[in-house]
Amino acid sequence: MSKERPNVRLFVEQVLEAEVEIAVGTAQAHYLARVMRLQSDDRIRLFNGRDGEWLARITSVSRSWCELLAESMLRAQHAEPGPVLAFAPIKKDPMHYLVEKATELGVERLLPVATRNTVVEQVNLDRMRAHVVEAAEQCGRLTIPHVDPPKPLDAFVAEWPEPRPLLFMDEHASVRPIAEAIAACATRSPGPPLPPGILVGPEGGFAEVEAEALRALAFVMPVSLGPRILRAETAALAALACWQAFAGDWRPSNRSG
Ligand code: SAM
């Protein structure tokens, strides 16, 4: 008796259209065959970030290989605009947690930014990309957040697309609460507000010279996340949740597609 497993979703690179055959590689085949114990004629969902979400039937599966046939479109592709999260790289496990949860929270782009106090030199982009794909498969997104290679803070700021606002998580200054900053962003545009950038510093925080330079920029909005000093990953996820709740796609009126 074939089964449909709607919670089993795989991201594939190939084009998705009716009757197209999709072959998936070892890791995904192992997941389907050994972890989810799926067999031929079982059905799962596929998406590629371009062609929507499709119901696909397994035509052959082993622990190292799997072929599927795309049968019908379940959801049409639509844009999933969200905040850009710029963050100073942090240690491996908290960074895994950060990128996974940011994906679930609807981030559009992840951008590692090297600041003076950043202690993590190397960023494993392949591992980061694998984490965001897995999180996107799990949470039902139709898009995969873009993961940028790391860049220095000054280059990041110089390339920031004004007038898109950049919410600077500024733990030291007495600045406005994030709810007020988000309300200010929301009043800037007649339609659904353009999701901002959210900038979070490293474990050691921003250097004062960095913070002063950021505060001087017209498109930067220094923001407080309350009286306590949050870990970088906590600050990033708290800011993302605030945006989605007050101005983002947790409000049905702001959902696209
Ligand atoms: N400089 C901090 C200290 O004095 O211990 C440590 C930095 S904190 C662990 C990492 C980052 O999270 C900060 O650079 C800031 O971007 C953000 N952050 C933490 N708490 C915050 C708060 N209450 N308000 C705004 N941003 C905060």
Side-chain angles (χ1 to χ4, degrees), residues 169-172 200-206 223 225-226 228-230 235:
M169 299 302 118
D170 189 355
E171 76 272 25
H172 284 313
V200 178
E203 286 96 335
F206 287 100
V223 159
L225 289 170
R228 290 170 292 279
I229 295 294
L230 310 177

Side-chain angles (χ1 to χ4, degrees), residues 16-194:
L16 288 171
E17 57 190 16
E19 302 304 309
V20 76
E21 285 191 352
I22 312 282
V24 298
T26 308
Q28 291 182 319
H30 178 270
Y31 167 69
L32 294 176
R34 311 297 282 177
V35 177
M36 302 310 291
R37 299 202 174 284
L38 295 181
Q39 300 166 359
S40 286
D41 286 340
D42 286 346
R43 287 171 171 81
I44 66 167
R45 297 179 180 213
L46 300 180
F47 69 108
N48 62 8
R50 305 184 304 278
D51 300 326
E53 182 178 74
W54 283 72
L55 186 66
R57 178 169 58 85
I58 295 173
T59 53
S60 70
V61 60
S62 71
R63 68 172 128 192
S64 59
W65 181 258
C66 178
E67 283 188 349
L68 303 103
L69 186 72
E71 292 183 328
S72 57
M73 181 191 280
L74 298 170
R75 284 193 292 163
Q77 188 66 37
H78 56 75
E80 292 180 329
V84 172
L85 177 62
F87 60 99
I90 51 179
K91 293 187 183 76
K92 184 177 155 203
D93 291 346
M95 185 123 89
H96 174 181
Y97 183 81
L98 170 59
V99 301
E100 181 181 79
K101 300 312 164 200
T103 299
E104 293 170 44
L105 289 171
V107 74
E108 180 180 304
R109 190 176 201 99
L110 289 158
L111 216 160
V113 172
T115 69
R116 288 180 182 226
N117 296 334
T118 301
V119 292
V120 174
E121 300 289 329
Q122 292 298 321
V123 174
N124 185 328
L125 290 174
D126 289 342
R127 183 168 51 220
M128 201 186 289
R129 288 191 178 109
H131 291 326
V132 299
V133 166
E134 206 172 305
E137 289 172 338
Q138 175 273 326
C139 72
R141 295 181 55 139
L142 287 177
T143 58
I144 303 291
H146 188 276
V147 178
D148 281 57
K151 64 177 66 172
L153 178 62
D154 53 358
F156 162 72
V157 167
E159 294 161 20
W160 183 255
E162 295 183 56
R164 187 167 191 172
L166 179 61
L167 302 184
F168 159 40
M169 299 302 118
D170 189 355
E171 76 272 25
H172 284 313
S174 56
V175 290
R176 65 177 151 183
I178 189 165
E180 287 178 22
I182 290 174
C185 291
T187 53
R188 286 188 179 185
S189 55
L194 181 64

